[in-house]
Amino acid sequence: MSWQTYVDEHLMCDIDGTGHHLTAAAIIGHDGSVWAQSSKFPQLKGNETTDIMKDFDQPGHLAPTGLHIEGVKYMVIQGEPGAVIRGKKGPGGITIKKTAQALIFGIYEEPVTPGQCNLVVERLGDYLAEQGL
């Protein structure tokens, strides 16, 4: 299965039969290389990937400054240290799950809930982690 298929069928899927979808999603390597992304996924700038990776290694690194994606700031909220970073911005937010080789991103806006985004992103992340990816 191609990386793009994972994004299209597992991240940008209909959530719980509601007809709602994530706004954008991507699978990005630890080095910042894009493996696959949805059409509306923002381009990571400068050291944004480095800062995200540093927060996985040193949980709390992003808390004072926020999480930035293409210059857009998300307030960092509870996550799972070393495994999941969650951010909030207005009526939407972001979930990032780290696997052995990649970062799984999901960005959402209402009516998608934070819990629905977490479930979609973390389910794929857990599957890929089980595969050694």
Side-chain angles (χ1 to χ4, degrees):
M1 186 179 306
S2 77
W3 292 114
Q4 192 62 48
T5 303
Y6 282 113
V7 170
D8 296 343
E9 295 182 6
H10 297 278
L11 294 174
M12 298 301 293
C13 59
D14 181 341
I15 298 172
D16 301 331
T18 61
H20 302 138
H21 301 79
L22 296 179
T23 305
I27 301 173
I28 296 177
H30 288 183
D31 62 358
S33 61
V34 177
W35 294 7
Q37 65 184 19
S38 65
S39 61
K40 294 183 180 177
F41 190 79
Q43 299 304 307
L44 295 170
K45 294 182 173 183
N47 59 350
E48 290 174 344
T49 304
T50 308
D51 283 344
I52 291 166
M53 289 300 296
K54 188 169 184 178
D55 194 79
F56 281 117
D57 293 336
Q58 301 172 21
H61 169 73
L62 290 173
T65 59
L67 164 66
H68 291 82
I69 303 291
E70 196 175 52
V72 174
K73 182 179 177 179
Y74 292 84
M75 179 178 66
V76 177
I77 55 176
Q78 106 292 346
E80 295 171 34
V84 179
I85 298 171
R86 297 185 182 105
K88 185 85 173 123
K89 180 183 181 302
I94 186 167
T95 301
I96 308 169
K97 169 78 174 176
K98 181 183 179 193
T99 69
Q101 297 179 29
L103 301 173
I104 315 301
F105 288 77
I107 299 174
Y108 68 93
E109 293 288 337
E110 287 181 343
V112 174
T113 68
Q116 289 172 319
C117 181
N118 295 342
L119 186 66
V120 168
V121 171
E122 293 175 40
R123 189 179 338 167
L124 179 59
D126 289 343
Y127 170 77
L128 294 176
E130 289 169 10
Q131 305 305 308
L133 302 167

